[in-house]
Amino acid sequence: MLPGFLARAVELLLGREGRSLHLKAAGTATAVLAVVMLLGSWAVVAAEDGARGANLKTYPQALWWSIETATTVGYGDFYPVTPVGRLIGAAVMVVGITTYGMVTAALATWFVGREQRRRHHLAHGARELGEETTRALHERFDRLERMVAGKDERG
């Protein structure tokens, strides 16, 4: 069931033809982060196995550590003590920081684009209203000119 869920999640993140580049990049980064966290958790347990002072001894502990590391929370309850474990931690940090930066940028781009579309729509509506008002004023002036011209011709 889990691989099917992961395949569906990746398809939802990456599979839309109409999606913008920034959303595809954020989706790809999120998928990469999930893989790095899952594999990094396994790798750090393997790297820390048998090391003196190691506190990452189980996969659930390592998974919690990878989540807090990727999000840069770093409670300090779990941490790698071996050079290989620390290298894995650095990779999880870099991928996590990059992913959250990309997701934040994608959201900001979406909000800005939405606001630009709203303003464009308002400007277009105002332009149409201005054109209608100008046409109506021209028609009134033309009528007034005809009325004045008609009175002058009679009088």
Side-chain angles (χ1 to χ4, degrees):
M1 179 173 157
L2 187 60
F5 167 76
L6 289 175
R8 180 74 178 131
V10 169
E11 180 184 336
L12 283 173
L13 287 170
L14 307 176
R16 305 270 170 126
E17 282 297 320
R19 281 223 171 123
S20 62
L21 180 61
H22 63 276
L23 286 178
K24 286 181 183 180
T28 302
T30 302
V32 168
L33 175 62
V35 169
V36 166
M37 287 171 51
L38 293 170
L39 291 177
S41 298
W42 169 80
V44 82
V45 168
E48 299 285 301
D49 187 34
R52 193 166 59 158
N55 59 12
L56 289 166
K57 297 177 181 177
T58 67
Y59 187 76
Q61 288 173 334
L63 191 57
W64 173 249
W65 164 82
S66 70
I67 291 169
E68 67 183 21
T69 300
T71 58
T72 68
V73 171
Y75 292 122
D77 50 353
F78 297 108
Y79 51 90
V81 295
T82 64
V84 173
R86 290 179 177 171
L87 187 63
I88 294 166
V92 172
M93 284 182 228
V94 168
V95 172
I97 292 166
T98 302
T99 299
Y100 293 116
M102 291 178 79
V103 169
T104 302
L107 281 171
T109 303
W110 179 75
F111 281 120
V112 168
R114 195 169 167 204
E115 179 64 15
Q116 284 177 339
R117 284 189 298 276
R118 186 186 72 82
R119 287 183 181 188
H120 176 74
H121 180 71
L122 286 174
H124 183 69
R127 197 173 15 231
E128 284 182 353
L129 182 61
E131 289 170 3
E132 282 181 35
T133 303
T134 302
R135 270 194 301 278
L137 285 172
H138 279 293
E139 288 174 9
R140 285 184 178 180
F141 285 134
D142 290 345
R143 261 192 317 228
L144 284 171
E145 286 176 352
R146 284 192 300 271
M147 288 172 60
V148 168
K151 287 184 181 178
D152 286 347
E153 291 173 3
R154 285 185 220 146

